[in-house]
Amino acid sequence: MMGNGLAALYGKLIDRPGVVYAFAAILAAAGIAATAMRTEHAVDDGLVALLLSGDMLFGLFVTMLIVLVIVGARIDDRPGKCIALTLGVLAAGSIVRMLLPFALSIGWLAEWNGVMLGIIIITLYLSLRIGARFAVTAMGCALYTMFVTAGITLGLADRITVPGILTLTAVGTLAVVMSFLGYSLVRNRIESARREPVGHSVRTGMVQAMPFLVLAGLAVLLIAAPLAVVTDGPLRDFGLFLMVGGPIGACAVLMSAIPLAAMTRDVQFEAAPPARRGGRRQR
């Protein structure tokens, strides 16, 4: 009964984007405020080298392409376009990557990272153009989860370390996994109701996924809380990131129903051409 009540409440919230967007803004502001309250942060030298070298940014770029292929092909039913786009921008990113030694030698690391960031933004735009809406939304959920989790956690952690940043990427991966599982229910709904607009299937599928996503976020919170409270050092940071990131990731995926429904409101499922039988086209 409680699950049905939560699903009904969530279904009503989907119709109120202003409320959900306001909640998303409050979470982001909480992350910024938590970090701003710390007068200073201790940063490991290894982390500075990792960020300046561009390894984290290039890793994010490759991860984004993997998400584009898996989620875009599975949910949006356009594997050819998704794979073609991925191969093209991977080639461009690899060429930029080969120029990294040159950037290091003349101190152009900031410019290199700027070009890499530009390629990521262009890829997101092209993904939307070819119709990989679910993949772009999954990426957005991951980035939003990482941003809010980092802001809140860095207000509690003692140092910013390489293991902490790697754990933050794991939090983003967790958000992508939850997005994929939730969107899989949407895909099942699309296939069972082909005559309805995709936006309606998005709403129905996400309402069905809501209990699972809530339980997943709470499960991560309960598993990570002992590590954050009892342990110390890297294990404590690992527990803090997961304790915050699990519920935030579940919220981000649930909130993604609103932009998805808006983008697919008038979109119809692209079925295969009808077969011919006896010289006539089936209707």
Side-chain angles (χ1 to χ4, degrees), residues 183-199:
Y183 298 164
S184 294
L185 292 179
V186 174
R187 173 68 181 186
N188 293 336
R189 178 64 186 176
I190 291 174
E191 292 177 345
S192 63
R194 297 192 176 196
R195 294 186 178 182
E196 297 177 355
V198 174

Side-chain angles (χ1 to χ4, degrees), residues 2-266:
M2 182 177 294
N4 293 334
L6 287 175
L9 177 62
Y10 174 60
K12 294 179 180 178
L13 283 176
I14 295 178
D15 293 327
R16 299 181 178 180
V19 175
V20 178
Y21 289 147
F23 179 69
I26 290 172
L27 282 179
I32 296 173
T35 305
M37 290 176 64
R38 291 290 298 268
T39 55
E40 60 181 11
H41 287 281
V43 181
D44 288 355
D45 292 338
L47 177 61
V48 175
L50 181 66
L51 296 176
L52 290 179
S53 67
D55 290 337
M56 286 297 300
L57 198 57
F58 190 78
L60 176 63
F61 167 68
V62 174
T63 303
M64 184 183 69
L65 296 182
I66 295 173
V67 173
L68 175 62
V69 171
I70 295 176
V71 181
R74 172 66 181 89
I75 308 298
D76 287 313
D77 199 25
R78 293 189 177 185
K81 291 185 177 181
C82 291
I83 294 172
L85 173 61
T86 297
L87 292 176
V89 295
L90 179 61
S94 300
I95 292 174
V96 174
R97 183 68 173 176
M98 288 189 297
L99 297 177
L100 179 60
F102 175 73
L104 282 169
S105 64
I106 60 177
W108 279 8
L109 282 176
E111 289 78 359
W112 185 90
N113 286 328
V115 171
M116 202 71 242
L117 185 60
I119 293 177
I120 291 177
I121 294 173
I122 292 172
T123 305
L124 287 172
Y125 172 74
L126 292 177
S127 301
L128 271 175
R129 294 288 295 178
I130 68 169
R133 303 172 182 87
F134 290 88
V136 174
T137 309
M139 298 172 198
C141 288
L143 294 175
Y144 178 83
T145 301
M146 293 170 67
F147 173 79
V148 177
T149 301
I152 295 176
T153 307
L154 294 180
L156 303 173
D158 298 327
R159 302 177 64 85
I160 305 177
T161 62
V162 173
I165 296 300
L166 295 180
T167 303
L168 188 61
T169 61
V171 169
T173 304
L174 177 63
V176 170
V177 171
M178 288 193 288
S179 300
F180 180 74
L181 295 177
Y183 298 164
S184 294
L185 292 179
V186 174
R187 173 68 181 186
N188 293 336
R189 178 64 186 176
I190 291 174
E191 292 177 345
S192 63
R194 297 192 176 196
R195 294 186 178 182
E196 297 177 355
V198 174
H200 184 271
S201 298
V202 168
R203 293 165 52 85
T204 306
M206 290 302 294
V207 169
Q208 292 176 348
M210 189 275 300
F212 163 76
L213 292 172
V214 171
L215 289 176
L218 290 177
V220 175
L221 171 64
L222 293 176
I223 293 173
L227 292 175
V229 174
V230 177
T231 61
D232 198 5
L235 276 179
R236 176 177 178 268
D237 293 342
F238 179 78
L240 275 176
F241 275 105
L242 286 182
M243 186 178 70
V244 177
I248 295 297
C251 288
V253 177
L254 289 172
M255 290 186 295
S256 71
I258 290 179
L260 271 177
M263 286 188 290
T264 57
R265 182 181 295 111
D266 300 321

